Amino acid sequence: MRSTVSVIKADIGSLAGHHVVHPDTMAAANRVLADAKRQGIILDYYITNVGDDLELIMSHTRGELDTKVHETAWSAFKEATKVSKELGLYAAGQDLLSDTFSGNLKGMGPGIAELEVEERPSEPIAIFMADKTEPGAFNFPLYKMFCDPFNTPGLVIDPTMNEGFKLEVLDVYEGQSVLLNSPEEIYYLLGLIGTMARYVIRRVYRKADNMIGSVTSIERLNLIAGKYVGKDDPVLIVRLQHGFPALGEALEAFSFPYLVPGWMRGSHYGPLMPVSQRDAKATRFDGPPRLIGLGFNLKNGKLTGPSDLFDDPAFDETRRVAAIMTDYMRRHGPFMPHRLEPTEMEYTTLPTIIEKLKDRFKKEDSVKAKPSVYASKDQGMD
Ligand code: F6R
Ligand code: MG
């Protein structure tokens, strides 16, 4: 049976700052999804949040970019926004960039990851959802899961994984993508995906049979809207087991709290902290960036689960290291590399400061001028 899991998320406003979704807004979204399930548009669903992002997980047989499924998500976000506005929640409706729905949600603000598969007899999946960071934040764990045998021994031990994987890397600035082979081309791959702001691993395929292994949301709201309007907090769906990463291999990729861009005012590097759904709220310095993971089985288009994957003492040490890193990074205050490079900051105040000071800068003939590193995104400053 061919079925699709659609994970669609948006920040439609949150309680006491950008930190957590209010339960009443989730209840409003739930009414819409329950109705869509009654009508048979979707077969199953689960609603959750990470920080200020409302996450709709839906399963169905309508394929990717289906108008009815996307319209359902749009109505859910609209209804949730209504409640958000009634309660005076902060930044109500912030990620909904358009007033009218036309066909599908692409380019309209919500983040989307859709995995369409021919169901295996058992189809285990993990869904990872993060707040206060951006889609390129998943490059590091995807590389670990699908390309690094020190993380995923299955690449060596499981004959169905031996041939490796193909990774589709999207250049979000130029709107073009390239398919790279692992392990043969991992140095080229790493050359690109280390630049998290620009290159995003969108999909991974198993080389042996072209079966899809993962899908990442690729929306970058600041690029969609031309100016910063909201966060690009990403979601990732990973297919597990039997020739794909085992659940534990997928989770192992998050055991090191690596640094990601985002955090306070979308302008700082901070450690990605894997937490349970209970702790999925952004508090200290609006973070640190949080990640939740949910495990499901997909059968006949229905979802069994979830299991709250990071609700586990095995990740206590990761969280402790993340807390230490939080202290370490915070002590840099407004200095890079805690603060992001100017081209990637959510609040681009630097041009304003330079403008204000322009008459006070004196020419120094002894110093040869270099091209401005702040002038354009094309100068390798991503
Ligand atoms: C970052 C984020 C928050 C806000 C910060 C300031 O993605 O959501 O860190 O940027 O709370 O928010 P405003 O500018 O709305 O006061
Ligand atoms: Mg968010």
Side-chain angles (χ1 to χ4, degrees):
M1 175 170 176
R2 238 185 139 63
S3 43
T4 303
V5 176
S6 300
V7 185
I8 305 186
K9 49 100 3 199
D11 179 345
I12 49 79
S14 58
L15 178 65
H18 290 278
H19 98 295
V20 77
V21 174
H22 190 282
D24 290 0
T25 61
M26 290 170 79
N30 188 66
R31 285 191 285 278
V32 175
L33 265 54
D35 192 44
K37 187 174 170 182
R38 263 192 300 276
Q39 289 179 49
I41 297 170
I42 54 176
L43 294 176
D44 217 346
Y45 70 92
Y46 183 78
I47 297 178
T48 189
N49 82 290
V50 53
D52 55 12
D53 292 298
L54 175 58
E55 312 272 352
L56 311 177
I57 298 169
M58 298 170 287
S59 59
H60 54 93
T61 52
R62 297 170 166 272
E64 290 175 44
L65 293 175
D66 178 75
T67 299
K68 286 218 148 108
V69 172
H70 281 221
E71 200 170 19
T72 298
W74 185 248
S75 311
F77 292 137
K78 282 285 186 196
E79 288 303 307
T81 299
K82 267 192 216 158
V83 176
S84 215
K85 288 191 170 151
E86 276 160 28
L87 297 177
L89 298 183
Y90 194 65
Q94 89 158 21
D95 284 357
L96 310 185
L97 303 183
S98 165
D99 287 332
T100 42
F101 177 80
S102 54
N104 67 57
L105 286 175
K106 258 176 141 176
M108 292 183 73
I112 308 157
E114 299 190 287
L115 177 81
E116 186 180 354
V117 296
E118 187 62 45
E119 279 181 18
R120 298 171 289 166
S122 176
E123 189 58 70
I125 58 169
I127 301 176
F128 297 100
M129 294 156 274
D131 186 35
K132 303 290 183 273
T133 186
E134 61 186 29
F138 286 131
N139 288 354
F140 177 90
L142 281 168
Y143 178 81
K144 301 289 280 181
M145 284 178 218
F146 288 99
C147 309
D148 179 3
F150 283 74
N151 180 89
T152 301
L155 292 164
V156 178
I157 294 172
D158 180 344
T160 53
M161 295 176 89
N162 261 180
E163 277 182 54
F165 291 87
K166 288 189 292 197
L167 296 92
E168 183 190 87
V169 177
L170 179 71
D171 174 347
V172 292
Y173 287 163
E174 295 298 328
Q176 54 186 10
S177 62
V178 60
L179 204 57
L180 291 171
N181 290 304
S182 170
E184 305 92 304
E185 297 179 302
I186 55 169
Y187 299 154
Y188 298 158
L189 176 70
L190 288 167
L192 299 183
I193 64 172
T195 311
M196 289 182 274
R198 177 162 186 167
Y199 297 100
V200 177
I201 301 175
R202 178 163 54 177
R203 295 195 182 91
V204 179
Y205 301 92
R206 185 162 65 191
K207 258 200 234 143
D209 52 13
N210 258 340
M211 267 209 293
I212 187 149
S214 81
V215 186
T216 313
S217 63
I218 44 103
E219 284 65 28
R220 287 206 60 195
L221 285 177
N222 52 343
L223 298 180
I224 297 173
K227 64 180 175 51
Y228 193 88
V229 291
K231 269 267 49 77
D232 317 306
D233 310 306
V235 295
L236 163 69
I237 314 176
V238 181
R239 238 171 150 181
L240 304 167
Q241 306 289 155
H242 203 68
F244 289 113
L247 173 63
E249 289 168 336
L251 296 176
E252 181 66 9
F254 294 103
S255 59
F256 167 59
Y258 59 101
L259 293 171
V260 296
W263 207 353
M264 173 58 79
R265 298 179 183 274
S267 304
H268 295 83
Y269 285 104
L272 187 65
M273 183 186 261
V275 292
S276 66
Q277 285 180 285
R278 193 179 50 252
D279 293 327
K281 55 186 176 185
T283 54
R284 183 168 176 194
F285 202 55
D286 284 0
R290 304 279 165 124
L291 173 79
I292 59 168
L294 298 181
F296 292 95
N297 266 98
L298 180 66
K299 183 74 182 173
N300 298 329
K302 293 204 160 210
L303 294 166
T304 300
S307 166
D308 189 354
L309 299 168
F310 295 118
D311 184 12
D312 183 345
F315 281 92
D316 283 351
E317 191 61 9
T318 306
R319 290 187 274 265
R320 196 182 71 85
V321 174
I324 293 169
M325 290 168 70
T326 296
D327 274 336
Y328 176 84
M329 295 304 283
R330 282 301 304 124
R331 287 176 70 178
H332 293 80
F335 283 78
M336 291 170 69
H338 178 27
R339 200 208 70 194
L340 296 191
E341 47 271 63
T343 50
E344 287 305 328
M345 284 167 68
E346 173 180 324
Y347 296 73
T348 45
T349 46
L350 197 68
T352 322
I353 295 174
I354 291 174
E355 179 59 29
K356 280 192 187 146
L357 296 180
K358 81 172 186 297
D359 296 334
R360 292 167 56 190
F361 273 108
K362 290 188 301 163
K363 190 92 195 97
E364 293 285 346
D365 290 333
S366 57
V367 182
K368 195 166 155 3
K370 279 204 273 182
S372 168
V373 290
Y374 304 137
S376 132
K377 288 199 184 292
D378 299 331
Q379 296 181 11
M381 281 298 294
D382 325 318

